[in-house]
Each structure stands twice: as structure tokens, then as C-alpha cells.
Amino acid sequence: MNRLALICAAVAVLGGCSTFHRQMPAAPAAPVAAADTAPAIETIPFRMGVSSATVEKMAKQQGCTGGQGAGLITEPGPVEVYRMRCDGGKVFMARCELRQCRPM
């Protein structure tokens, strides 16, 4: 075989391989959220706890009234955290350890 035939055969073989080893097309870009959309706010369902009444009394002494009352926002256990929404938009929070509560 002559040199030109070898070169043509090599190009044909290599050209065929390149069709199987192409780079993958880039993934489409994720849509960008508009700047005026606010992120979603996660709400915690209201749960009564063993110290809810105690925390409500503490909140009332601090001038916090209204809402559903003091709800448990952690898992029940020896240390619990309670949250109460007050009239006027304020929030009262307390930490109770073995039913001994203190404002946060």
C-alpha cells in the first residue's frame, strides 16, 4: 500500500471514532427566578406543650397578649422552646428545661 492510502485509512478510522466520542451538549440552564418574587416562608404548625400555660403567663407579664398562645417549636423532651405571637407583631420566646422556663 502506498503512503496516501494508509493516511486515508487512518483518517477514516479516526473520523469514525470521533463520532462516538463527542462531547455531550451542555445541560439547559435552570430558569432564573424574577427578582420581585419573595422566597416561600415555612410555617410551623401550632402544637401545645406541657409548659404552654406557663409560657403564656410569662408572656402576659411582659405585655405580650393575643394569638393562639404559646406553641412548642422543638420536639418534646427535657429541653423545649416555645414561641408566642403577640399583638402588634412581636414574638415572645421561652426556653423550658425540665418545666423551668426562662424568656429568650
Side-chain angles (χ1 to χ4, degrees):
M1 263 191 175
N2 67 15
R3 190 175 217 170
L4 184 58
L6 286 172
I7 292 173
C8 288
V11 169
V13 169
L14 292 176
C17 290
S18 68
T19 59
F20 294 110
H21 298 290
R22 288 187 196 156
Q23 287 184 339
M24 296 296 294
V32 177
D36 61 345
T37 59
I41 297 174
E42 182 181 355
T43 58
I44 300 171
F46 182 82
R47 293 186 305 171
M48 293 289 294
V50 294
S51 298
S52 288
T54 303
V55 173
E56 290 169 12
K57 289 177 188 175
M58 290 172 56
K60 189 173 182 180
Q61 291 172 351
Q62 303 261 338
C64 175
T65 57
Q68 291 180 323
L72 181 63
I73 61 172
T74 59
E75 292 298 317
V79 178
E80 299 174 333
V81 177
Y82 290 84
R83 179 178 182 265
M84 182 172 163
R85 279 194 199 152
C86 311
D87 290 334
K90 290 187 177 183
V91 174
F92 180 83
M93 293 185 70
R95 180 179 185 268
C96 301
E97 187 172 348
L98 298 173
R99 297 188 184 187
Q100 300 296 312
C101 301
R102 294 189 177 165
M104 292 177 71

